Every structure is written in structure tokens, then in C-alpha cells.
Amino acid sequence: MELRAKLALLADAAKYDASCASSGSEKRDSTQGGLGSTEGMGICHAYAPDGRCISLLKLLLTNACIFDCAYCINRATSNIRRARFTVDEVVRLTLAFYRRNYIEGLFLSSGIIRSADYTMEQLIRVARTLREQHGFLGYIHLKTIPDAAPELLAEAGRWADRLSINVELPQVASLRELAPEKDLPGIHDAMGELSTHIAEAREARQTARRAAPPRFAPAGQSTQMIIGADNSTDGQILGTSDGLYKQFKLRRVYYSAYSPIPEASAALPPQPPPLLREHRLYQADWLLRFYDFTTEEILSGGEDGMLDLEADPKLAWALKHRDDFPLDLNKAPREALLRVPGLGARNVNRILEARRHSRVKLADLARLRVPLRKVAPFLVAPDHRPPPGQIDATGLRQKLLNPSAFAAAQPAQLSLAL
Amino acid sequence: MPGEAPDLFAGDAPPAAEPAGEPTALVVPRDFLELAELAIRHSDAERFALLYSLLWDGRRDPGLLRNPAEARMVRLHAMARAVRRDAHKMHAFVRFREIDTPDGERSVAWFEPEHHIVEAEAGFFQRRFAALRWSILTPRRCAHWDGEAVTFTASARRADAPAADAAEDLWRTYFASIFNPARLKPDAMRAEMPKKYWKNLPEARIIPALMQGAEARMRAMLGQEPRAPARRQKAGRDPAA
């Protein structure tokens, strides 16, 4: 098969992995030799019409696979055409794209062929060739095969900026049903191992005096869960995320709405992807990591373990905790302001800074591009006092819901959009 | 931080001299300096007047230059934000085309920045592509790297840059394949990759076709009858390369 046909097939097969992040690695550049740089901030070099960032060349080494996961286009019993890149082909594509400034680096994954160890070795060979033979300093994300030997995981971390193992489904029961070859305890063991290596390398870097200590995945590890392929509730999904963040210090959990695929399995008939649910989960994940919410608090905004689809999770929470509001914009502590619907972390910091100089008014918030209509019922300011009883009015929820807000908001911008 | 030397607003700034003649040291917060450095690259002709008026009033009201909610400071922040965004889009959307020259291979790009950022951002490309020889041509300034130093020349025209590159066909193939037609969200794409950039992005010309075909591809997937499962692949069998 010619290179272009393989590229089409093996990029298409890789697109169900949501991660395309290229941020948060160590700083390095090519002024002392080599090709490429990472300066901490990720760069999206293009956007596809699905609105998603294209930062990395995201490929499968092969779409052949001995696993038979029902949700996956590459499962063993799928009627798709199979192809496999050579190590050299992936290396050449990566360098050609990188030199022209199309990409930040490579995200390489693979179907499982022959054995976990064999597959992991092939992925490692690509990364090692890029680093050692071509002095490549761009970003590399390697998918990690959980059952691969510990020394292979250790080597993967030497070449990669980020490693990831997808849990795919939050419950053991769903995995058993839809991805029978996947082994959750084995995945957790591998994540634990990576997490130990990552922590050790970070500590070594901080205490190193002269020679640079061996690196290990400086951008950490991440994972992905598919949303809507099984009957898991949002509560089960967020609970799993929370556990993974705490236990393995993951940088990110990605949520990927189960998307219709050609050649779908009879066990999972195609349906439109639950994009709004995916969006709410990303918002909830943000509250978990940056706004000091617990999963229980987030879920208290919804019903029966599911998030409110109409309202973003912070607004949904606030509407069920109206006794906490309205807050005095000039007196409320940081942690209370972070819970005001419509106030993002960056604007809370700006408000705290502005408070040191003068009393902050609602008009000042307008200049900081805070959505006034959304925050007004929850705040008291020198130029604003919500009408008596407004916070308890039954019509408040309806008044605040803005159905067009979703189209404009994107998960990547949530730190501001919340 | 009054009294600290690095906070003195010195040298290349617009002069904010005392009308009476005796020069006095002007003390400004470090953050303000960084902000001013960004805002001064903005293409808005009023940027100097804005900075001048802030510095002038900042002498009597030192808190002014730290207050993110004051109207002029809001405007300065907005200018800095626009310049930062322009720089970020330059890092993202410059597309090199490789050409052979008598001195060897050269990577040449045509880019149209909105603000005066070429000199400030050349370092990013130098650090990343130190091993290449490159030129970034723009209607404002041009930057060139020869392996030793970055040099700048006056503006160029689009026709001065190469018109195509052999890798662009593969790049378009990738762009088309990584797109998921079941998640069409053109507004989100345009918010981050505004149409004004499209004419210099080799992948952008296939966007209309991708969008037009998306709905039919989605319908076909939703309407398909599941086919009988294929015979399971055996472990050990590699697909033909």
C-alpha cells in the first residue's frame, strides 16, 4: 500500500483518541543541536471542522488488533482494511511535517499485534529512532500497552514526553462485556508503575546538581474514557476520574463521546455522539481539579447520578445551594467567589487584585468580560443589589439558561467559560 | 516595588519627562513593564498615547498601574492580549515550504501578522529550527536565519514566497483523515482558526468539501446494517505493510 493510503487509514483509525495535548513538558530547544523545541505551552497548528485542535501527528502504527473491543473500529472482528506503517515511514512523516511547522510532534498508538511486548517494542523503536538518530526534540506521546514488560514501560518513558493508557470504560462490568481482553487491575498496575517512575524522575530533576538525571515522561500520564458506550452514570465516570487523579496523579482524563463508526459492532448500534454530555463532563472535571469541588458536590447539582445537561455544573450546583448566595463581591473569600456561576479562576484573581485598590463594582466586571446576566443574581456590589427574593424565585433557573451558550463554548477554553 | 532598579522604566520607552525640566526616576510595577512591552507592538496608532497617559497619571496614583479594572488599563490589557494571540497564531500557522537554493535547502514561509510581532517572535523559530535555514516573509518585516544569526529585512510580497511544497498533499490527507464527520462544529473551528488565516494554510482549501461531505457520511454510519463479524485475526499475523 502506498504511503498516502496508509496515512489516510491509520490517521482515520487514530482519531477516536481525544487527546492532542502538547503542553506541560520540560523546556528544551535546538540551539545546541537537534531539531525542535518544547516551551511548555501547547500549540494547536490547525483545527479540523469538528472544532478539535490538531497539535500532533496522531497515528496508529497498525490498525490490526487481536483484541475485540466492541466500541472500537479496529477490533479483531471488524471488516476494515488493515495496514501497518514501518518504523521508518512514521519517522519520515513526523520529521517532514515538523520541519514545515505543521505539528508539535507525534502521538503514536497501535492495535495489539502478536503480543503486548512486541507491540510496545515497535512503538518504542519509533520514538528512539526519532530521538537518537534524528535528534528530534519535539513532543512525543506514546500509547502504553499495559501488559508490556516493566523494562519496556521504563524505556518508553525515556523517549516520550507523555504516556497514556486508556481505561475506556469506568466499570469492570462494562469492560468485561464490551472489551473482554482488557484487564482493569492490570491497567491500574501499569499506571501505578508509570506514576512511580514519573515521580522519581521529577524528584531527581529537582535535586540534581550537575548532569541531567534520566528523564521519564516529563509531561506525565493521561487516560481516556468513552462516554455513552455503556450504561455508566456521570457519577461513576467522575468517581473513576477522581480516583485516578488521586491515586496515579494523572495529568488529564479525557472524555470521548462514543461516536458512530463505520463497521459498527452489532452489540453497539451506531448513534449520534452525546457531545453535550461529554462537554458537561469536561466542565465537571475542571471543577474537580481547579475549583475545589468534590464529586459529591458536583453531582448534587444533577439528578440520579447524572449531570444537568441544560445548565453547566457550577450553575446547576449554585441553583441547588441558593442559601449560600448572594455574596458580597468585595468581601467574599477566594474560595467562595470561585463558586459563583460565571466567574472563572482568572477573573477571581483579577477581582482580588482590583479589591486592593478600590471597591469593585459590577460595571468593573463588565470590563473584565464577565457575563453580567449570569453573575448578577449571585452577587452584591456597590452598584448592584439583586431584587429581594430573586435568588429564591422559581423562575431564576429558566432565566439563566441560555441554550445558545453551548455552541460557543469549547472544552479547551473552560477555565474562562465556566 | 518602589526603589528597585529593575522596575525603573528606562531607555526605549516614550519619554515621560517632567515639564519643569528636572528628570525624575519613574517607578512602575514590573508587571506593567511586561504589559507595556506587549502592547507597544499593537498596530493601533493610539498605543503610545495610551501608555503616555497611564504613565503620567501613574506618577500621582501608583495603584493605577496595578489596577486591572481601570478603564485604560483594561484597554492596555486588551492590546497585550491581542498581541499575545497574534504571536501564538504565528507560532501555529506559519507554514514553511522547502526550496533548493545555491546555498542549499531553505525553508520559506509567508505569514500575515496583525501586529508588529516579527522581531519579537523570530526567537521562537530560531530555538525550534536552529538546524534549518529559514525565512519568514511578511507584509511588515521579514526574518531570516542562516544558522548563525537572525537578520531582518523590510516587508515582502506574497509572490516572493514559494507557491507549493511536496509535503502539502500528505498534510491535507492527514487533515482530512483526522477529522471526525460525526462531530461537525465549524463555529468552534472558525473561532480558533479565523478565516483570515485560511488563504495561507495549505490544508484550509479542503475544509468546504469536508464540511459538505460530513452529513452524508454521518447518515451512512447511522443507517448501516451491522455486517457479520469478520473472522478474527490470529495473533502473530501482521497485515501486509
Side-chain angles (χ1 to χ4, degrees), chain A residues 347 349-355 357 364 367-368, chain B residues 35 63-75 77:
Chain A
N347 273 332
N349 292 340
R350 289 194 184 122
I351 289 165
L352 294 176
E353 180 62 37
R355 266 183 2 190
H357 306 292
D364 296 324
R367 281 201 290 268
L368 296 176
Chain B
L35 199 61
L64 168 68
L65 305 184
R66 290 180 212 269
N67 185 354
E70 196 273 338
R72 283 170 297 170
M73 287 297 289
V74 167
R75 191 162 165 217
H77 275 284

Side-chain angles (χ1 to χ4, degrees), chain A residues 185 187-189 191-196 221 239-250:
Chain A
I187 290 174
H188 284 171
D189 286 349
M191 283 178 166
E193 206 165 314
L194 296 182
S195 149
T196 308
Q221 61 171 326
T240 300
S241 298
D242 196 30
L244 292 172
Y245 283 130
K246 288 190 176 129
Q247 202 177 348
F248 305 120
K249 306 274 178 290
L250 294 196

Side-chain angles (χ1 to χ4, degrees), chain A residues 23 48 70 80 82 87 107 131 155 199 235 259 261 268 380 387 399:
Chain A
S23 56
I80 50 160
R82 309 284 172 167
V87 168
F107 177 170
R131 295 279 193 235
E155 194 187 349
S259 179
I261 48 173
L268 278 178
V380 174
K399 211 178 133 202

Side-chain angles (χ1 to χ4, degrees), chain A residues 365-401:
Chain A
L365 297 193
R367 281 201 290 268
L368 296 176
R369 301 191 300 177
V370 169
L372 286 195
R373 209 176 53 84
K374 191 167 182 180
V375 297
F378 301 98
L379 290 175
V380 174
D383 60 342
H384 168 73
R385 192 158 288 278
Q390 185 193 41
I391 191 72
D392 298 315
T394 44
L396 181 63
R397 176 184 164 90
Q398 229 28 58
K399 211 178 133 202
L400 286 170
L401 291 183

Side-chain angles (χ1 to χ4, degrees), chain B residues 17-24:
Chain B
E18 284 291 307
E22 272 300 295
T24 43

